[in-house]
Amino acid sequence: MAKKSDGTRNFYRFVAVIGVAVIGSLGYSFISAAPNLNTAAYHKPPPSPNQCMECHIKGEEKIPIMPHRPMGTCTACHKPYEIN
């Protein structure tokens, strides 16, 4: 069996590092894609997950439908606004 040259080995290492960087940046982008909670009066203080689901699963009037499965909590992904 022929031994691979150092140049080939370094190329594969370089490609692997670029691959890990791309996968990491895509993962970070996916996790940080959730919008912040709206600062409207009905979101002050941040509602419980049950209250969120009551409004966003029904999709009444101008309330956007939740585009994902219900999670344990909303504020794990959707950052609440800062209370001043």
Side-chain angles (χ1 to χ4, degrees):
M1 191 183 271
K3 185 177 178 184
K4 291 187 178 181
S5 69
D6 288 336
T8 304
R9 190 171 293 130
N10 288 337
F11 172 74
Y12 286 128
R13 287 178 185 162
F14 178 71
V15 170
V17 167
I18 288 180
V20 168
V22 167
I23 290 171
S25 66
L26 287 174
Y28 177 77
S29 298
F30 178 76
I31 290 172
S32 64
N36 294 343
L37 290 179
N38 191 333
T39 58
Y42 47 81
H43 281 148
K44 292 181 182 176
S48 70
N50 291 336
Q51 291 171 323
C52 292
M53 287 183 252
E54 283 178 15
C55 291
H56 291 282
I57 289 178
K58 294 177 187 173
E60 297 176 1
E61 292 190 22
K62 296 180 183 180
I63 300 171
I65 294 175
M66 184 172 59
H68 58 78
R69 299 174 69 189
M71 308 303 242
T73 179
C74 300
T75 55
C77 299
H78 300 277
K79 295 179 183 149
Y81 47 82
E82 294 182 19
I83 300 174
N84 293 330

